[in-house]
Amino acid sequence: MSEDNEKSVVRGLRDVAAAETKISYVDPAGFLYYLGYNIDDLVGSTMYTEIAYLLIHKKLPNKQELTEFSNQLYHEMYLPKEIVQSIQATPESAPPMAVLRTEVSHLGEFDPDEGDFSQAANLRRATRLIARVPMIVATLHRTRQNLPIPKPKKEYAFSKNFLYMFKGVVPDEKEASVIHRFMILHADHGFNASTFAARVTASTNSDMYSAVTSAIGTLKGPLHGGASEKVMDMLDEINLEEEVEEYIQGLLDEKKKIMGFGHRVYKAQDPRTKHLRGIVEDYCHRERSQGLYNRCMKIEQLVYQRKQIYPNVDFYAAVAMDALGVPKDFYPLFFASARVSGWVAHVIEQYEDAVLLRPKGEYIGDFNRPFVPIEKR
Ligand SMILES: CC(C)(COP(=O)(O)OP(=O)(O)OC[C@H]1O[C@@H](n2cnc3c(N)ncnc32)[C@H](O)[C@@H]1OP(=O)(O)O)[C@@H](O)C(=O)NCCC(=O)NCCS
C-alpha cells in the first residue's frame, strides 16, 4: 500500500480548497468578485476587453493599455489557414463543442511561441487564445451555414466583432451591449470544474493549449456549460405557460434535476442571474422572448417553492442567447468564448504556484487476489 488508507474522501471535493487564488471569489452569500471588483460594478460599466485584460494582467487597463490590448486581440483574430480548412472539413454531425475542443488542441500546433514558457510568452499565448477561441466558434457557425466569415473591423470592440463575425450582421447598440455583459458575466468563476481541469493540466507544466482543451472537454458536460442547451430543450418542450406547473412538478416528483438550477457554492441567488434576467427583459417586446421569459419566471417560482434552490447562470443565459440569435448547440461555445479569459488567467497563476495537483484516491478494492493464468480462467 503506497498511499495511506485513512478514510478521508471528500465526495465531489465539496468545500475543498485546492489552491490559493487572487483571480476571482465566489461568495456563497451571492456575490462574485474579479480581482477584488464586485461584478455588479463591472457589468454595464466596462467592456469585455477590459475584463479579459484584468484577468490576465491582474489590473484594469488605462486607456493606452486598453488600446494596445485591443490591437493585440485584433491581430490575433486571424486563424491559421490549416485551422480554417480543418473546421470546414468537420462532418455536419459533429457536435460544435467537440469541434471547438479539437480545434483548440489543433491550434497548439501553430503557436509562434512554441517552447517558450516565459511570462511574456505566456501572456502572448493567453491573448492569442482569448482572441482565437471565439474565432473558431464564428468560423464553425458560418461554415455550417455555408456562408463566408466576415473580416473583423478594427474599430469594433472585441466582443462586438465576435458577434458580427458569428452572425455576419453588424450588431446594433443593444446587441453590442448584451454581448459585452454576457461575456463579462461568463469570464471567470472561481474553481469551477473546467477551470480546475485547466489548472490540473497546467500543474504538470503542460502547455496552455492542452490546459484549455481539458477545460473545454469539462465544460461540455450538461452539469456544467452544457446546461444552457438543456434549459432551452426544456423550454422548447413546454409549449404553453399553463403547462409549466405539471411539467416541473413531474420532473421533481421523479427526482430529476431541473437544468439551470442549483449551485455547488452559492447558498443565495447567483449574482449573475439578475443581470442575465435583465438582458432578457430588454428583449421582452419580442413575442418569443416574452413567452420564454414568462415560462422562466414561473419555473423559477415553482422550483424555489419545492426545493428552495435558485436559477444559476445557465438559466437566463439560454434565453439571452436565444434573443441574440445563437442556435442552441452553440450556447456552450459562447460560454467557452468568454470563459477562456478566466481559464488562461488560472493557467498562468497555476504555473506561478508551481505545485503538482495530484490528490489521492480512497482505494476500496481487494488485495492479494490469487492470480490465475489465462488458460485456467
Ligand atoms: C450544479 C449542480 C451540479 C451542483 O450540484 P451539487 O453541489 O452536487 O448539489 P447536489 O446535486 O448535491 O444537490 C443538493 C440538493 O439540491 C437538489 N438539487 C440541486 N440541483 C437541483 C436541480 N437542478 N434540480 C432539482 N434539484 C436540485 C438535489 O436534488 C439535492 O437535494 P436533496 O438534498 O433533497 O437530495 C446541480 O445543482 C445540478 O446538477 N444542476 C443542474 C445542472 C446545471 O444547471 N448545471 C449548471 C451549473 S452552473
Side-chain angles (χ1 to χ4, degrees):
M1 269 180 271
S2 60
E3 301 195 6
D4 78 81
N5 232 19
E6 218 178 279
K7 288 260 180 234
S8 57
V9 172
V10 179
R11 213 170 124 69
L13 301 180
R14 192 179 290 273
D15 296 328
V16 171
E20 291 181 337
T21 181
K22 288 184 177 164
I23 299 171
S24 63
Y25 177 53
V26 179
D27 183 340
F31 301 96
L32 173 59
Y33 299 88
Y34 293 164
L35 277 299
Y37 296 99
N38 188 322
I39 56 149
D40 292 345
D41 295 330
L42 302 174
V43 179
S45 315
T46 54
M47 294 192 301
Y48 166 71
T49 317
E50 290 170 82
I51 301 308
Y53 183 98
L54 169 70
L55 291 169
I56 63 171
H57 292 274
K58 302 187 172 76
K59 67 187 271 286
L60 280 169
N62 59 31
K63 278 189 181 159
Q64 193 195 332
E65 287 162 338
L66 181 61
T67 306
E68 281 167 17
F69 187 58
S70 300
N71 285 339
Q72 287 165 9
L73 287 175
Y74 174 76
H75 288 295
E76 294 291 359
M77 281 170 92
Y78 290 89
L79 295 174
K81 68 174 184 325
E82 292 85 349
I83 300 289
V84 175
Q85 285 162 355
S86 171
I87 293 171
Q88 287 165 344
T90 55
E92 283 269 338
S93 57
M97 201 57 177
V99 178
L100 178 65
R101 182 198 57 216
T102 302
E103 295 307 334
V104 167
S105 174
H106 195 181
L107 262 186
E109 296 173 23
F110 300 92
D111 189 51
D113 287 305
E114 174 57 38
D116 184 348
F117 285 93
S118 64
Q119 175 75 352
N122 281 335
L123 282 171
R124 283 196 297 276
R125 215 174 266 122
T127 307
R128 198 167 292 136
L129 274 157
I130 291 170
R132 291 188 176 179
V133 166
M135 288 309 100
I136 294 174
V137 175
T139 306
L140 176 62
H141 182 239
R142 302 297 290 168
T143 301
R144 292 267 161 112
Q145 293 195 313
N146 284 323
L147 290 168
I149 180 150
K151 285 197 165 36
K153 290 188 191 284
K154 194 142 195 243
E155 65 274 23
Y156 289 177
F158 178 74
S159 33
K160 182 173 173 181
N161 250 332
F162 168 40
L163 193 60
Y164 165 58
M165 295 169 75
F166 183 86
K167 290 178 73 171
V169 180
V170 177
D172 61 25
E173 229 173 84
K174 189 173 178 175
E175 287 172 325
S177 152
V178 168
I179 191 70
H180 278 303
R181 284 183 277 161
F182 179 92
M183 291 185 81
I184 290 169
L185 289 165
H186 284 80
D188 199 45
H189 206 236
F191 270 50
N192 60 88
S194 56
T195 299
F196 183 54
R199 289 190 73 131
V200 169
T201 304
S203 81
T204 69
N205 286 345
S206 186
D207 65 285
M208 203 177 277
Y209 295 91
S210 299
V212 172
T213 305
S214 303
I216 294 172
T218 309
L219 184 73
K220 188 169 176 281
L223 293 188
H224 193 5
S228 53
E229 198 179 338
K230 301 282 174 208
V231 168
M232 193 48 76
D233 285 343
M234 171 174 77
L235 293 172
D236 282 341
E237 269 179 46
I238 310 170
N239 288 315
L240 298 168
E241 212 184 312
E242 302 82 73
E243 292 172 11
V244 171
E245 187 154 0
E246 197 186 332
Y247 185 97
I248 296 297
Q249 302 292 15
L251 287 182
L252 292 175
D253 289 346
E254 287 174 41
K255 303 219 170 304
K256 289 199 173 139
K257 290 260 176 87
I258 314 291
M259 287 295 138
F261 279 82
H263 200 272
R264 174 58 69 80
V265 181
Y266 293 124
K267 304 290 171 244
Q269 287 261 12
D270 182 328
R272 300 165 297 178
T273 302
K274 60 181 178 297
H275 296 287
L276 288 158
R277 199 194 286 110
I279 289 174
V280 176
E281 279 162 1
D282 283 351
Y283 280 95
C284 276
H285 58 282
R286 292 191 193 160
E287 202 181 325
R288 178 169 165 83
S289 299
Q290 177 74 66
L292 291 170
Y293 177 79
N294 291 348
R295 276 174 263 165
C296 284
M297 291 296 284
K298 186 125 199 198
I299 296 171
E300 198 180 329
Q301 202 188 357
L302 285 165
V303 177
Y304 187 76
Q305 274 167 11
R306 277 279 300 263
K307 297 287 297 187
Q308 284 75 53
I309 53 174
Y310 298 102
N312 56 49
V313 69
D314 291 298
F315 192 57
Y316 286 99
V319 189
M321 283 185 278
D322 180 87
L324 279 181
V326 178
K328 223 171 11 183
D329 54 353
F330 277 80
Y331 291 178
L333 288 84
F334 266 60
F335 191 154
S337 294
R339 182 58 58 85
V340 63
S341 54
W343 290 330
V344 292
H346 279 272
V347 167
I348 292 172
E349 190 178 57
Q350 186 61 46
Y351 287 152
E352 288 162 358
D353 199 16
V355 63
L356 177 72
L357 291 173
R358 198 285 195 197
K360 67 172 189 172
E362 187 73 53
Y363 180 69
I364 56 164
D366 297 329
F367 290 98
N368 299 322
R369 296 174 74 186
F371 173 74
V372 181
I374 194 158
E375 306 76 41
K376 296 200 177 150
R377 276 178 233 156

